[in-house]
Amino acid sequence: MGIMDRPSGLVGEIYTKVKNSIDRGEIDDRNFLNEGQLAEQFGSSKGSVKVALQILCSQGYLVSYPRKGYMVHRFTKEEVNQMQVIRKQIEMLSVRLVIAHATDDDIRSLYQYTEEKSESDDPINMNNTLFHLHLAKISGNAYLEETLEPLLCRASRIMVGEKSDS
């Protein structure tokens, strides 16, 4: 399963809720997540929780510690630097493609993210993140948005983590 693949059914619901909580910084990266507690919280079996958590591990959101639980993956400075190098290249490609292929209406559609104040406290749904995702979307390359999204989610997690550490 690739990073952009989202499971379906109950496993998908658990996956989405835990992933969103991680992205928003709602889960303390110093505490273990416990399959039993999460199963109780979601009204599901431990098996469904385990599958969702294992997918999140495979995507780099969590680290599994046998017989202890799962912890949110905390990025090192080197990992952050590596992500930013990739993100910069993807965004430069997006801009080049937008310049070459986007319509005037496509370009005007970007203004919604610069003119309106974001109502969201969720860093993933803030105008800056949405602007960059929309830029990739209007580039004409269907894969840029799905490639950029996990990098922006991780960058949002890092920003949330930095704010809570200070």
Side-chain angles (χ1 to χ4, degrees), residues 20 41 56 68 89 125 128 133 135 137 148 160-161 163:
N20 289 343
Q41 177 184 336
L56 289 163
K68 290 184 180 181
Q89 294 301 314
N125 288 313
N128 183 54
L133 285 173
L135 188 67
K137 183 177 187 173
L148 184 59
V160 167
K163 287 179 185 172

Side-chain angles (χ1 to χ4, degrees), residues 18 22 27-38 46-58 61-73:
V18 173
I22 292 168
I27 298 176
D28 187 341
D29 63 6
R30 293 169 287 231
N31 295 328
F32 283 101
L33 296 175
N34 177 286
E35 289 172 8
Q37 290 171 337
L38 289 173
K46 280 184 172 181
S48 295
V49 169
K50 183 174 187 156
V51 171
L53 296 179
Q54 287 176 341
I55 293 167
L56 289 163
C57 283
S58 73
Y61 286 92
L62 296 173
V63 177
S64 174
Y65 294 90
R67 294 177 297 286
K68 290 184 180 181
Y70 301 81
M71 292 184 90
V72 173
H73 176 195

